[in-house]
Amino acid sequence: GTISHIAKASAVNLLKNSGFEDFSGGEFTDWYLWKGNHGNTDLAQVSGKTDNAAKISVNDNSSIVNISQGIYPEAEGEYTLSVWIKIENIVRQWETAPGVYLTLRNENTIVAQSTAVNTDTDWQKLEITVDASTLPAGYKTFDLTIEYVKGDIYVDDAVFSLTEEEPTPTPTP
């Protein structure tokens, strides 16, 4: 017999301004930038991987900087979070300083985290997959964290989507 197969529904990106196209008054619409304890961080819109990107210039490596967006996802299932980053002129506070990584927070608790990058790199994708049914209900935050490093971090094409579970293929007679 044949095997019927239903493809995954294309996932809707729940983030707004995910390509960092809307920038005014020194801020990206729908994104919040925490500039670190000393506020010594600059934000600009530059040419990116796709159209425009955010350029976060961190001038002090003695604290944590992050750019984030919060959402209330309606459904349960599996989430995929991803973002493209490029890093130039990185200086770590110490050799093994964490660097740049993506986290998913539920309320204020980190529930998932990507691999961290703490060296200069061309465009590279950070990604997390998490089963939403394992998370408590509530406000979720997509958060790109820059920890104890300074330099220029370029950010583009952020995604927070719910991927439908693929049904098990069933043989037909």
Side-chain angles (χ1 to χ4, degrees):
T2 59
I3 298 203
S4 63
H5 181 79
I6 301 166
K8 276 190 179 179
S10 72
V12 174
N13 190 353
L14 301 174
L15 294 174
K16 296 176 183 155
N17 196 18
S18 60
F20 300 94
E21 306 305 324
D22 300 329
F23 183 71
S24 92
E27 295 184 349
F28 284 94
T29 310
D30 299 307
W31 290 94
Y32 173 74
L33 178 71
W34 165 251
K35 295 184 173 192
N37 296 340
H38 310 289
N40 201 1
T41 301
D42 300 312
L43 191 59
Q45 186 180 51
V46 295
S47 183
K49 182 181 175 294
T50 313
D51 299 323
N52 294 315
K55 178 185 179 185
I56 305 169
S57 299
V58 181
N59 303 306
D60 182 329
N61 62 8
S62 66
S63 76
I64 294 175
V65 168
N66 55 25
I67 189 164
S68 62
Q69 185 174 142
I71 56 174
Y72 270 108
E74 298 290 316
E76 292 203 339
E78 185 181 82
Y79 295 129
T80 301
L81 286 69
S82 64
V83 66
W84 286 85
I85 60 164
K86 181 173 84 168
I87 303 173
E88 293 176 347
N89 312 311
I90 197 166
V91 180
R92 299 181 287 271
Q93 167 124 350
W94 66 91
E95 197 51 37
T96 56
V100 182
Y101 55 93
L102 180 60
T103 66
L104 170 63
R105 293 202 314 261
N106 191 84
E107 303 296 344
N108 286 314
T109 306
I110 292 175
V111 290
Q113 185 171 316
S114 75
T115 309
V117 181
N118 72 359
T119 56
D120 284 4
T121 178
D122 200 0
W123 288 107
Q124 167 176 350
K125 190 180 195 181
L126 300 179
E127 192 167 46
I128 301 170
T129 304
V130 65
D131 183 350
S133 65
T134 65
L135 302 179
Y139 193 68
K140 306 287 185 289
T141 305
F142 177 103
D143 184 346
L144 184 71
T145 304
I146 302 160
E147 187 172 352
Y148 296 114
V149 294
K150 66 181 180 179
D152 298 316
I153 292 89
Y154 299 81
V155 187
D156 205 356
D157 297 336
V159 175
F160 186 138
S161 64
L162 189 64
T163 21
E164 295 305 316
E165 286 303 310
E166 215 170 307
T168 310
T170 49
T172 53

